């Protein structure tokens, strides 16, 4: 597989489907890389599935950078996309450019993603002008969870669907090389995909999108707090992990682990010298030091 770049993702529109998966650390990046995933999104879902927060709002730039660096170290060919966390781009355009730049400069990502429609166009234009590839994100935008009143399906009315299409088109015109469509009716996503000149990456947006993204922990059954309707679990690694860890803890309690194959040996003469040295040292230190010596 050759290195996936933002222009390569753009060129995939209409020619092949794109697979994007979230990753938050080196090990996950290596696994996804071995599976031939095109893009690794260091999603702000990190806040929920790794850090245990209720939503994505609390994760910081420093936390996102820390995990982006780890993913970049594990990604050989996949394009690493760093998710810009809440309030890292909304406050001002210069701050948005500076923070986006940190993901490439310090995190070694190849692109950033940010949430929102027409209200974030100045930020998108400025980040793209700085030479940083951007992915847009419309539909359910989890950073707006408070305003939306929860994680709900979006664009269910004709007006809302038309607004979403306009937002997605504006993001593409502003320079986004792909747009994530989250939690919208499949029929709306199909229309947006048809109109947009850049790939759509769907999550809960049906099969007609140009690509799909899911959360690593959801695909593998590693997050048990909440399973959205749009997730298909391809494995139940959480159950397997609990089974394995229970066996290990039982083996420790029963004295079965570690076995002889897990320990390091010492030459018998070295051991004998060690024991005799303990006794010599203890005797030389006087009667007080030998108190309680079991030997
Ligand atoms: O943070 C994330 O995981 C995301 C995807 C769900 C698109 O933004």
């Amino acid at each position: 597989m050759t290195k996936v770049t933002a222009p390569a993702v753009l060129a995939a529109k209409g020619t092949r489907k794109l697979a994007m998966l979230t990753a938050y650390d080196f090990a996950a990046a290596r696994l996804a890389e071995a599976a031939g995933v095109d893009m690794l999104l260091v999603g702000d879902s990190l806040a929920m599935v790794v850090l245990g927060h209720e939503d994505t709002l609390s994760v910081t730039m420093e936390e996102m950078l820390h995990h982006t660096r780890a993913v970049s170290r594990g990604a050989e060919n996949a394009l690493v996309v760093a998710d810009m966390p809440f309030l890292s781009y909304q406050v001002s355009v210069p701050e948005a450019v500076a923070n986006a730049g940190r993901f490439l400069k310090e995190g070694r990502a190849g692109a950033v993603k940010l949430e929102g429609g027409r209200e974030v166009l100045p930020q998108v234009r400025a980040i793209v002008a700085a030479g940083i590839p951007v992915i847009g994100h419309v539909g359910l935008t989890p950073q707006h969870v408070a305003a939306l009143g929860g994680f709900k399906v979006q664009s269910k009315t004709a007006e809302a669907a038309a607004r979403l299409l306009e937002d997605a088109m504006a993001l593409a015109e502003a320079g986004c090389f792909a747009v994530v469509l989250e939690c919208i009716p499949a029929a709306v996503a199909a229309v947006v995909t048809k109109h947009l000149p850049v790939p759509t990456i769907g999550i809960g947006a049906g099969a007609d999108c140009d690509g799909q993204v899911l959360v690593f922990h959801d695909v593998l059954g590693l997050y048990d707090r909440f399973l959205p309707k749009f997730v298909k679990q391809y494995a139940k690694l959480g159950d397997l992990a609990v089974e394995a860890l229970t066996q290990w803890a039982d083996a420790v309690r029963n004295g079965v682990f570690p076995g002889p194959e897990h320990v390091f040996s010492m030459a018998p003469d070295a051991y004998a010298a060690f024991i005799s040295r303990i006794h010599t040292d203890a005797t030389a230190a006087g009667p007080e030091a030998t108190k309680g010596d079991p030997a």
Side-chain angles (χ1 to χ4, degrees):
M1 192 173 149
T2 52
K3 196 139 187 74
V4 180
T5 60
V9 169
L10 183 58
K13 172 100 184 172
T15 66
R16 68 179 185 93
K17 294 264 190 185
L18 294 157
M20 180 190 228
L21 188 67
T22 70
Y24 313 100
D25 61 25
F26 176 78
R30 299 254 302 170
L31 293 173
E33 183 73 53
V37 164
D38 297 291
M39 287 181 278
L40 295 176
L41 171 65
V42 189
D44 61 356
S45 48
L46 163 73
M48 298 171 74
V49 299
V50 174
L51 304 179
H53 294 294
E54 289 294 309
D55 52 43
T56 60
L57 303 180
S58 310
V59 73
T60 65
M61 268 302 294
E62 297 312 317
E63 287 166 336
M64 290 299 299
L65 276 167
H66 177 77
H67 287 267
T68 302
R69 282 192 287 270
V71 170
S72 294
R73 286 192 284 267
E76 246 176 76
N77 295 311
L79 176 66
V80 176
V81 181
D83 216 358
M84 297 197 67
F86 184 51
L87 294 190
S88 69
Y89 57 97
Q90 292 93 336
V91 178
S92 75
V93 170
E95 234 181 271
V97 177
N99 283 326
R102 289 188 73 193
F103 280 116
L104 269 66
K105 201 170 174 172
E106 299 172 41
R108 306 304 302 169
V112 299
K113 174 175 88 58
L114 51 79
E115 297 182 7
R118 277 160 288 185
E119 71 281 9
V120 294
L121 292 183
Q123 284 88 334
V124 170
R125 286 197 194 97
I127 296 170
V128 170
I132 301 164
V134 181
I135 294 184
H137 182 162
V138 292
L140 173 59
T141 45
Q143 292 178 17
H144 295 84
V145 64
L148 296 174
F151 298 113
K152 296 175 182 164
V153 180
Q154 302 296 307
S155 301
K156 291 190 78 157
T157 65
E159 295 72 30
R163 268 199 313 275
L164 179 113
L165 175 59
E166 283 169 29
D167 278 337
M169 290 295 285
L171 287 167
E173 274 161 28
C176 286
F177 71 95
V179 176
V180 168
L181 305 177
E182 179 164 356
C183 244
I184 60 171
V188 175
V191 172
V192 175
T193 300
K194 207 166 156 193
H195 281 75
L196 234 57
V198 303
T200 57
I201 311 293
I203 173 163
D208 288 322
C209 296
D210 297 304
Q212 297 290 326
V213 56
L214 278 181
V215 167
F216 182 90
H217 292 59
D218 288 342
V219 178
L220 296 178
L222 288 166
Y223 183 69
D224 61 1
R225 260 196 190 164
F226 170 64
L227 190 70
K229 172 186 160 82
F230 56 75
V231 168
K232 178 170 175 185
Q233 277 186 341
Y234 282 81
K236 291 195 183 295
L237 295 193
D239 293 347
L240 274 181
V242 171
E243 207 179 295
L245 296 175
T246 305
Q247 281 179 29
W248 169 77
D250 286 348
V252 169
R253 288 190 200 103
N254 299 335
V256 177
F257 178 85
E261 68 276 32
H262 305 121
V263 302
F264 303 101
S265 61
M266 187 184 201
D269 52 344
Y271 179 70
F274 167 56
I275 295 300
S276 101
R277 185 172 176 153
I278 294 171
H279 289 296
T280 314
D281 289 354
T283 313
E288 276 303 307
T290 56
K291 263 191 200 160
D293 185 347

